[in-house]
Amino acid sequence: MAENIIEKKEQEEVKEELDLSAIDKICAEYKGKKGATIPVLQKVQDHYGYLSKEMVDRIAENLNMSPHTIYGVITFYAQFYTTPRGKYVIRVCRGTACHVKGSGRISEVVTEEFGIRDGETSSDLKFTLEEVSCIGACGMAPVIMINDKTYGSLTPEKAREIFREYAKKDD
């Protein structure tokens, strides 16, 4: 199980392989514009999947800002990530309705299938598990989202089938 979690060394290797030139192009669109920080961070994260230290330094250089100021924005907003995330982000609702109807067991199925726990990403960068407070679909409890697609009224068996379908993608 532990071998499926991205280790710091592997994260560093991923960072070293990145071509950061896309950041220059993204920043050029916003050069000199007020309020550019969040849109630039969003576009860079959309492009790379996360925001590494090297990316932040490059953004700061391009926008003529301090990296500390940019980190202040990144750490304030929950939408930004500083480590690689999976292609498929599995969000398991842990709100009251979902909890009562067994969402904890759904999280266990993710662990059984992919060897990851809440907040972890599989070593192949295919899956990330996030337990969230509420998805807002209580009537369909228990509920998960995989990226932007919602699945409700789940049993552990139905969830396992869904996860296995995603695992087959791109193979």
Side-chain angles (χ1 to χ4, degrees):
M1 198 177 321
E3 64 273 2
N4 285 340
I5 301 167
I6 298 175
E7 301 295 332
K8 283 192 182 262
K9 183 179 176 194
E10 290 171 341
Q11 288 177 358
E12 289 168 8
E13 288 171 10
V14 169
K15 289 177 190 175
E16 288 173 12
E17 297 170 10
L18 291 177
D19 174 7
L20 300 178
S21 63
I23 294 172
D24 301 332
K25 293 174 187 156
I26 292 167
C27 289
E29 296 175 44
Y30 293 91
K31 210 127 195 146
K33 293 183 181 176
K34 280 191 170 265
T37 308
I38 291 175
V40 166
L41 290 172
Q42 289 169 327
K43 284 192 174 189
V44 171
Q45 182 170 275
D46 285 347
H47 183 83
Y48 294 101
Y50 70 109
L51 299 163
S52 70
K53 179 191 180 313
E54 293 78 10
M55 292 175 207
V56 169
D57 290 344
R58 187 78 159 252
I59 293 166
E61 183 181 313
N62 272 279
L63 297 180
N64 197 27
M65 297 175 71
S66 157
H68 298 290
T69 301
I70 292 177
Y71 273 114
V73 174
I74 290 171
T75 57
F76 181 80
Y77 293 101
Q79 67 178 300
F80 297 119
Y81 303 97
T82 57
T83 56
R85 295 168 31 94
K87 178 176 183 175
Y88 303 111
V89 178
I90 302 168
R91 291 179 183 87
V92 177
C93 182
R94 299 293 283 141
T96 304
C98 288
H99 173 76
V100 169
K101 292 207 171 190
S103 65
R105 182 64 187 111
I106 305 298
S107 290
E108 290 172 7
V109 171
V110 175
T111 301
E112 292 164 10
E113 290 294 314
F114 308 119
I116 57 175
R117 298 190 185 284
D118 183 31
E120 296 178 345
T121 296
S122 60
S123 61
D124 62 1
L125 296 178
K126 200 163 183 180
F127 297 97
T128 295
L129 173 60
E130 292 181 350
E131 292 184 344
V132 298
S133 343
C134 186
I135 287 178
C138 303
M140 301 186 329
V143 179
I144 64 167
M145 287 182 74
I146 300 179
N147 295 347
D148 296 324
K149 188 165 182 180
T150 304
Y151 299 88
S153 303
L154 294 174
T155 63
E157 296 76 26
K158 283 185 195 175
R160 190 179 307 275
E161 287 174 25
I162 293 166
F163 300 146
R164 287 182 177 172
E165 283 302 312
Y166 277 90
K168 289 180 194 173
K169 291 182 180 191
D170 310 318
D171 284 344

